[in-house]
Amino acid sequence: MKLDTKKFEKEIKDKVGTKRYDHMLRVSKEAKSLAKIYEEDEDKAEIAGYFHDCAKLKDKSEIPSLCQKIDFEITDEMKKAPSIIHSFLGAVLAEKLYDIHDEDILNAISWHTTGRPNMSTLEKIVFLADYIEPGRDYPEAKKARTLAYKNLDKAMEYALNQNILNLIDSNKYIAMESVNARNYYLEINR
Ligand SMILES: [Fe+2]
Ligand SMILES: [Fe+2]
């Protein structure tokens, strides 16, 4: 399965806006190059990276009606941590609207914000590509980038730690899955 961005460009750009769309293209490219290093399927990485933010709508007020349309339920955990909604919603959109049925790709989209314990190589690649793509200008991205091209699990531990630190700094709710993921990578890297 090859990614044909022309097929989706207009529709997705309308949904997420040009800036977000360009980020999705950069994540797609970054995921592809990580896949090459780690001998993962490059086409799948490219596809998962491309669609990972397809539910990050520029107009947030459209989210409830979209959820209703595709029968997507927002859980209590999602209500407390709204920034995770677009990941799970994105996987459902990718399947229902963009005809992607590969389990690993859909999981990589679902878990790209929180992470989870024992992620597949593709899931880690998309999570990290999102964190390190060249448009990321925070200093942590540089360190995560070096780590990501050396050791995916160490890079996961670092990126999850940074995400949690940022959530604490801004006094936001931390989704349980982020904590579980962070503890998992902390332990396996010991
Ligand atoms: Fe995202
Ligand atoms: Fe993203």
Side-chain angles (χ1 to χ4, degrees):
M1 190 170 38
K2 270 272 176 207
L3 175 65
D4 177 12
T5 56
K6 289 274 165 291
K7 214 167 120 187
F8 308 104
E9 184 174 350
K10 189 180 175 331
E11 190 193 327
I12 296 184
K13 245 188 201 171
D14 282 349
K15 273 202 175 78
V16 304
T18 307
K19 250 177 97 176
R20 176 67 45 188
Y21 185 81
D22 291 345
H23 159 74
M24 291 158 75
L25 287 177
R26 290 194 298 271
V27 172
S28 175
K29 205 169 155 222
E30 193 74 53
K32 189 181 181 191
S33 73
L34 281 169
K36 199 178 170 77
I37 303 281
Y38 291 104
E39 295 175 355
E40 181 52 81
D41 188 316
E42 291 177 44
D43 293 337
K44 281 195 194 186
E46 208 177 12
I47 292 169
Y50 179 76
F51 287 104
H52 84 285
D53 272 344
C54 68
K56 207 154 181 171
L57 306 190
K58 63 172 191 255
D59 185 355
K60 302 268 177 290
S61 68
E62 286 173 6
I63 290 178
S65 60
L66 178 64
C67 290
Q68 203 164 28
K69 193 172 115 193
I70 60 164
D71 210 13
F72 178 87
E73 197 202 336
I74 296 181
T75 62
D76 287 343
E77 186 81 345
M78 292 180 200
K79 281 179 195 147
K80 290 182 216 159
S83 66
I84 72 176
I85 295 173
H86 78 280
S87 318
F88 301 104
L89 183 59
V92 177
L93 288 190
E95 186 167 25
K96 293 193 176 169
L97 297 186
Y98 309 124
D99 215 20
I100 290 160
H101 303 286
D102 182 277
E103 198 78 16
D104 207 12
I105 294 178
L106 295 175
N107 283 334
I109 299 172
S110 286
W111 301 104
H112 85 263
T113 306
T114 57
R116 64 169 170 173
N118 199 17
M119 292 162 85
S120 72
T121 304
L122 188 71
E123 289 173 37
K124 289 185 273 194
I125 282 175
V126 173
F127 183 99
L128 290 166
D130 189 26
Y131 196 88
I132 67 170
E133 61 93 344
R136 301 299 202 193
D137 54 7
Y138 40 85
E140 295 81 8
K142 206 174 157 219
K143 183 165 177 199
R145 162 173 279 273
T146 311
L147 280 173
Y149 281 88
K150 272 194 208 148
N151 183 317
L152 286 178
D153 291 334
K154 292 237 163 71
M156 284 304 302
E157 180 186 337
Y158 178 77
L160 286 161
N161 274 338
Q162 296 310 319
N163 282 349
I164 289 173
L165 284 168
N166 288 336
L167 289 166
I168 291 173
D169 263 354
S170 47
N171 208 26
K172 284 188 178 147
Y173 183 86
I174 304 169
M176 272 329 288
E177 241 10 44
S178 303
V179 177
N180 292 337
R182 183 267 177 176
N183 286 342
Y184 176 87
Y185 287 100
L186 182 76
E187 285 297 311
I188 64 158
N189 289 329
R190 277 188 202 277

